[in-house]
Amino acid sequence: MRVPMPALLIAPLTALVLSPPACATAQAPDYETTRVAEGVYQFRWQRHNGMFVVTPAGVVAFDPISADAAARYGQEIRRIAPGALLAAIVYSHSDADHATGAAALMRTMGQQDVPIIAHERAVAPIRQAANAAQPEPNVTFAERLVFAPGGRRIELHYVGPSHTDNLIVGFVPDAGTVFAVDFVSNDRVGYQTLPGFHFPGLLHAIGRMLDLPFTTVIFGHGAPGNRATIQRQLAYYDDLRAAVRTAISEGWTEDQAATRIRLERYASWEQYADWFPLNVRGLYRTMSARD
């Protein structure tokens, strides 16, 4: 599928953070656009991130987030790349808090019928949700999809079941940058009771992600990281799984495991106090059910 694209006029880059100046207030602005690499940007809307890649044949936007977010997302794309159109929209996975807003993004960009790309297994849950703000993907793949709008190569990799069974990793080789959502984070424990997380598939997925030659990671939440960030995340889940396995083998109840398992090595991580005991509970339930 091809969408004709006009020549791009790229705005000059003078700073890493490219959002308009915020008013003097104690509250952080709802959105922020950050240049991460040449032609690669993180768009933050509140606590969620998208990524967009400027190419000679248009902009590839990952995760429109929501209808409200997507309207601002489109304005930011137009500010950074005046005259550019969308070459494609990519859903990292089917969850509505990341993959809603494609229609609003197209409207803001003055377009329709932009290709929407996702893993083939993302179609069924999106269709079941029947949300007009979350149109179904019309380009899907199973393991790997490579496309190069205007000659700039973008790779989409399915690394296996992780958080959902349809989550993909985006990779921009010439920028050494990946976009990885929800199954990895920047020094943060997993979300609450790890809903939708697959074990041990998650560890295999992180390992497959590390096979990609990236240097920088844009996450679905939080600040960007690097390869060491992902290696620490892999170590966290490996340590968590080992601790829960020991608790189960020693006959601890779920409540005992949630109280006794600490993993102080990660105590400084974001959300440790609130979510770490919930991580223990979620993995305890998964491993107990499997055993």
Side-chain angles (χ1 to χ4, degrees):
M1 181 181 301
R2 294 185 179 180
V3 179
M5 296 292 169
L8 291 182
L9 298 174
I10 307 302
L13 305 175
T14 57
L16 288 179
V17 178
L18 298 164
S19 296
C23 297
T25 175
Q27 185 175 0
D30 277 345
Y31 70 95
E32 181 178 69
T33 300
T34 305
R35 178 183 180 273
V36 175
E38 183 63 37
V40 179
Y41 299 84
Q42 174 183 286
F43 170 74
R44 178 187 62 79
W45 175 263
Q46 298 175 356
R47 295 182 180 274
H48 286 68
N49 298 326
M51 176 183 81
F52 65 94
V53 183
V54 180
T55 83
V59 173
V60 178
F62 288 73
D63 281 4
I65 303 172
S66 70
D68 289 342
R72 177 59 68 181
Y73 198 166
Q75 292 173 16
E76 289 293 279
I77 290 172
R78 294 173 69 180
R79 184 173 65 84
I80 298 299
L85 295 179
L86 291 171
I89 297 170
V90 179
Y91 294 162
S92 64
H93 63 305
S94 57
D95 281 1
D97 64 324
H98 293 274
T100 301
L105 181 56
M106 291 185 217
R107 283 196 301 271
T108 302
M109 296 295 292
Q111 294 177 255
Q112 56 184 346
D113 299 326
V114 174
I116 301 175
I117 307 172
H119 189 267
E120 62 186 13
R121 281 199 286 271
V123 176
I126 291 173
R127 182 174 296 163
Q128 184 177 14
N131 180 356
Q134 189 185 24
E136 292 180 21
N138 47 35
V139 178
T140 63
F141 67 99
E143 293 296 327
R144 182 170 176 259
L145 177 66
V146 177
F147 58 112
R152 187 165 201 186
R153 183 182 177 96
I154 296 174
E155 300 179 5
L156 305 178
H157 294 265
Y158 179 61
V159 292
S162 55
H163 169 67
T164 78
D165 65 353
N166 63 72
L167 195 147
I168 62 175
V169 172
F171 178 43
V172 187
D174 67 5
T177 300
V178 294
F179 183 60
V181 176
D182 284 354
F183 78 110
V184 285
S185 300
N186 191 341
D187 290 351
R188 188 185 77 176
V189 302
Y191 180 69
Q192 296 191 2
T193 57
L194 307 175
F197 282 63
H198 293 251
F199 287 90
L202 179 77
L203 285 84
H204 299 319
I206 297 174
R208 289 184 64 184
M209 177 181 166
L210 283 165
D211 288 338
L212 298 172
F214 67 89
T215 56
T216 303
V217 187
I218 296 176
F219 297 100
H221 307 273
N226 53 29
R227 292 190 70 83
T229 314
I230 302 305
Q231 290 161 345
R232 289 193 298 272
Q233 188 89 124
L234 179 59
Y236 169 72
Y237 283 120
D238 201 30
D239 290 347
L240 177 64
R241 188 173 65 148
V244 171
R245 184 190 298 113
T246 298
I248 292 172
S249 68
E250 293 185 359
W252 294 3
T253 65
E254 178 185 320
D255 287 342
Q256 289 172 330
T259 301
R260 296 173 182 176
I261 296 174
R262 300 311 306 154
L263 296 186
E264 295 295 340
R265 173 182 176 186
Y266 305 100
S268 64
W269 279 24
E270 185 180 353
Q271 296 293 348
Y272 178 88
D274 294 331
W275 290 357
F276 178 75
L278 298 177
N279 280 196
V280 173
R281 289 184 180 277
L283 191 52
Y284 184 101
R285 293 167 193 170
T286 296
M287 296 179 71
S288 296
R290 188 174 64 239
D291 295 343

